[in-house]
Amino acid sequence: MENQNDATGKRIGMWLFLYTEIMLFGGLFVLYAVYFNSYKDDFIAGGKDLDTLFGIINTVILLISSFAVAASITAIRRKSKKLSLVFVISAVICGLVFLVNKYFEWGHKIEVGIYPNSDLLIDGEPGRNIFFGLYYTVTGLHGLHIVIGLTLLVISAFFISGNRITHQNDTLLENSGLYWHLVDLIWIFIFPLFYLIL
Amino acid sequence: MEQTKSFFETPAPPNFKGVLSWLITTDHKRIGLLYLYTITFWFILAVLLGLLIRTELMFIGPTLVEADGYNALFTLHGVIMIFLFIIPAIPAIFGNFILPIQIGAKDVFFPRLNLLSWYLYIIGGIFALVSLFGDGLADTGWTFYVPFSVGTQTNVSYAATAAFILGFSSMLTAINFITTIHRLRTGNMKWLQIPLFTWSLYATGWVQLLATPIISITLVLVVLERVLQTGMFDPSKGGDPILYQHLFWMYSHPAVYIMILPGMGVISEIIPVFSKKSIFGYKAIVFSSLAIAVAGSLVWAHHMYTSGMSDTAVFVFSLLTFVVAIPSAVKVFSWVSTMYKGSIWLGPPLVYAMCFVYLFSVGGLTGLVLASAGTNIHVHDTYFVVAHFHYVMFGGTGFAFFAGLHYWWPKFFGRMYNMKSAYISAGMITGGFLFHFTPMFVLGMQGMPRRYYDYLPQFEQGNFLAGFGAYVMVAGILLMFYNLLRSLKKGEVATSDPWGGVTLEWSISSPPSLHNFETEPQPPEYPYDFARVIGRLRGK
């Protein structure tokens, strides 16, 4: 088929898909905006309950992983298969560390009784319930996207080692990288909205 | 007459035979036909469900089902019609089959993704079927309004998951079409040489990308509400149910344009071909499609005048809604002007197309009654609304679907259906439609609320008439499908260009060969130049 080698077309398709992902999270951000408007004080209090240190570490981890993905694309374009593989795998490791952090963070919150429909939230301020409801929904959905992104990166790693992604044919790696940057970008918005409100 | 084999005889990928050659095909034409078969199945099922609803309402009191069954019936009818028929029908069937040919391409840009979309469609359908069993059918209506959809014990989660998956399927198709139109146009086809059907799918694709993710996240939230009880839309836990309505209509109003735009594209193809006259205002139709796509995304809250919004919001959304009527009217005027002084051949596709123009105009104008806040309060959630959206959705998109079926059928299968039966069924469907839905306008003005299981005695006559019309209409639909199916065996062999069309699909054999074009196609300078066709007809 003639479009097998049309990298631009494949990129267009990926960008369109990323656009739908932004709209998906956009719906949640609309909810956040409206509820922040109605429950400002509860949101600020809720933000103080979250562990900012965890948030900062995770932000840094994701930024590093995004750099690694970008570097791996540059590496493959300079025909350095080994270096590219190293970068992709380190990005995957960063992603896994992020998920482990998230696991401990959620685990801690659940331990102190903050989870959807918990007695603490139901009996407390309604705004607080909404804040943590949004927190679990948004970070949960984001976590799911991390898992999808990791899957794509792992597939890319296999393709690099099997020489199916080369300097002439790097679209899959580039598209996986684009996806990973998007996941990173969404986190850049989630982090201040939940951890840094005042 | 053609030496080359049609795509029916040459599977892609090769080496597979029988059912398998269809189930793993990447050929856009075969995928289009797969959609044709499955979508028709769901359509007929939902038509029969609708008939049950009308039969129930023909007489006062319980006739066929109890109140709970009635709620499940209209929910299932709505969910199937919206998510499994109207949204995918024209893009997935005609779009898949015709769009690549109209722009001179061999296939869509992502053939395997295209097949994946079909499988997602099937999985979505299976989820809808699964919701039939277990705790009972969802009884929320297709809108899944909270708080009821969170509280009810029925299978809302399955129905919502079905809608989520189907949304994903249609989104992937949209990505595919937009990329195809950008990257695979033949040689020197410029943007303003693209046929109008393809243009309408391009506009539709953008609306799908813009809007569908919103319904996805909304349905995810409803399911999360039901499973985890996060309380996001539950007032007792701090949530706001009105926000659900906003999110829902942020998708579902643009979705109305996802449904109607491809239909308008079909009509824009048929009317010039059967008038043997260049389309009036090609550019105006192109840009009105895009204008509808933009403006239609900004009017969602006109479904919510009575839900408790500020007067300012009501005013703004009312104004914007009136604005959308303008590009729609531009199209109607263009179609009618195209026919003016044309050499009209009243073939079955044109009959359906003309019924479309009439029914869509009535539906559009009654839409303005609903758009203006004052009258809306009076008829909100009455049968007036039901009649209005059936006029635009069925009288519009449904008739465009029938028109497209009759227009492209010879191209799909290389057979011509029986003309007489086609006219009879078109007459029955249109007559039945008018009997079916016009009384609902009156019932709505008199104050009969929608979605009610029973009614006061003064509404019986109107409901009986509507039910009577429904039977005529359904009989017409069944006759139409019978006639089309019969043509596969007994129909005359169709030529490659039975109507005298000028877009590229009429320049290749019927049914097309695997790669559509034997030589690189040359698109005409202007897509609706009939000089050549008229010359050929005169030569006869």
Side-chain angles (χ1 to χ4, degrees), chain B residues 428-448:
Chain B
M428 282 169 73
I429 296 173
T430 312
F433 181 96
L434 291 170
F435 259 104
H436 187 174
F437 292 111
T438 313
M440 293 191 195
F441 279 126
V442 182
L443 289 171
M445 298 292 266
Q446 290 171 342
M448 178 172 162

Side-chain angles (χ1 to χ4, degrees), chain A residues 61-125:
Chain A
I61 288 172
L62 274 194
L63 286 174
I64 292 172
S65 73
S66 251
F67 163 77
V69 168
S72 82
I73 297 171
T74 316
I76 200 86
R77 289 205 179 133
R78 297 193 175 171
K79 304 180 192 175
S80 170
K81 175 179 158 185
K82 202 182 254 172
L83 197 59
S84 174
L85 210 52
V86 169
F87 276 123
V88 173
I89 290 170
S90 45
V92 170
I93 292 170
C94 284
L96 289 175
V97 173
F98 178 94
L99 286 180
V100 171
N101 272 347
K102 196 93 256 168
Y103 170 78
F104 281 117
E105 205 185 342
W106 273 28
H108 178 255
K109 280 274 153 317
I110 291 169
E111 212 169 281
V112 298
I114 297 178
Y115 53 90
N117 210 26
S118 70
D119 296 337
L120 201 64
L121 286 182
I122 297 296
D123 300 334
E125 289 290 317

Side-chain angles (χ1 to χ4, degrees), chain B residues 305 322 362-377 379 384 388 445:
Chain B
Y305 288 159
F322 274 92
V362 174
L365 291 171
T366 51
L368 293 180
V369 175
L370 293 165
S372 89
T375 40
N376 179 291
I377 305 295
V379 290
F384 192 86
H388 156 69
M445 298 292 266

